[in-house]
Amino acid sequence: MDITLKNKYDSIIFDLDGTLWDSSANVVLAWQGAKEQVDYIKEDFTQPMIHSITGMTYKAIFETLLPYLTNEQREDFKAIASKKELEILYEKGGELYPGLEEALQYLADKYKLFIVSNCQSGYIEVFFKISGLEHYFIGHQCYGTKNMPKADNIRDIITGHNLSAPIYIGDTMGDYNAATKAGVPFIFADYGFGVVEEDQVATISKLSELVEIL
């Protein structure tokens, strides 16, 4: 790559889904299993469907995918799906993107590393358990902890860890918008689930490229 961002930042905050791993195949299994426990879901869940809502909060996901449900039904299914998802992922995990540990090993020697995701409580912990990569990260925050938007959770990490020059890495416009709102520069991971054509400071097509530019 012809761009270098070396010595510009003190920390890196990562998105999770579409950036560090892809758990969508097993999320489909989980939500299909949750569907079997109720009688009011019309459609089957698919990977393209999961990809289309990656990065949304859990609340927004089911408002988008299941708009015909009552609020009570949606909250009921959200609770069932969340529990089933964590159970399935704890057993089967997700697909780590190639070169992840090698990139983290390099970056952790130079930067403080964090995760901020719009996932439910317990999801990042499952990622850590399955991947064995928790020791590379100093902290993490998710929507499920405080029900705060991603921009607020990014700010929470920055304030809580006294970061002076963080950068955020994600794969969707939602990630870009959250980082921008938090006042943090953004690197777009184009191997994920979204498209970003704004003013990101860099675009990567594989995790190993972070070693080259950071």
Side-chain angles (χ1 to χ4, degrees), residues 152-183:
D152 289 346
N153 284 329
I154 293 172
R155 293 191 195 100
D156 194 48
I157 287 289
I158 293 170
T159 301
H161 294 274
N162 297 311
L163 307 181
S164 59
I167 190 165
Y168 191 88
I169 302 175
D171 68 302
T172 68
M173 274 302 297
D175 294 332
Y176 168 83
N177 290 334
T180 301
K181 189 172 182 179

Side-chain angles (χ1 to χ4, degrees), residues 46-150:
T46 65
Q47 273 190 273
M49 187 185 296
I50 302 301
H51 291 168
S52 74
I53 49 78
T54 297
M56 294 183 184
T57 64
Y58 226 58
K59 182 176 185 294
I61 284 171
F62 293 112
E63 289 175 346
T64 300
L65 294 182
L66 307 170
Y68 56 85
L69 297 184
T70 66
N71 287 335
E72 183 178 0
Q73 288 173 328
R74 195 176 295 116
E75 288 300 311
D76 179 54
F77 185 73
K78 184 174 70 173
I80 296 170
S82 176
K83 182 174 183 293
K84 192 72 173 176
E85 183 178 322
L86 294 180
E87 289 173 354
I88 292 291
L89 291 181
Y90 190 84
E91 176 187 351
K92 298 178 178 294
E95 181 182 353
L96 302 180
Y97 286 116
L100 175 57
E101 183 160 16
E102 294 84 350
L104 293 177
Q105 189 172 25
Y106 167 82
L107 295 170
D109 283 339
K110 300 180 65 179
Y111 305 94
K112 298 175 182 178
L113 305 185
F114 303 88
I115 295 175
V116 171
S117 169
N118 269 339
C119 59
Q120 72 270 41
S121 295
Y123 187 92
I124 296 175
E125 289 81 358
V126 169
F127 166 75
F128 285 151
K129 178 69 176 178
I130 292 296
S131 68
L133 300 175
E134 182 175 7
H135 60 285
Y136 291 112
F137 295 92
I138 293 174
H140 59 87
Q141 187 60 275
C142 71
Y143 174 79
T145 303
K146 300 178 181 179
N147 292 335
M148 295 196 310
K150 181 172 279 188

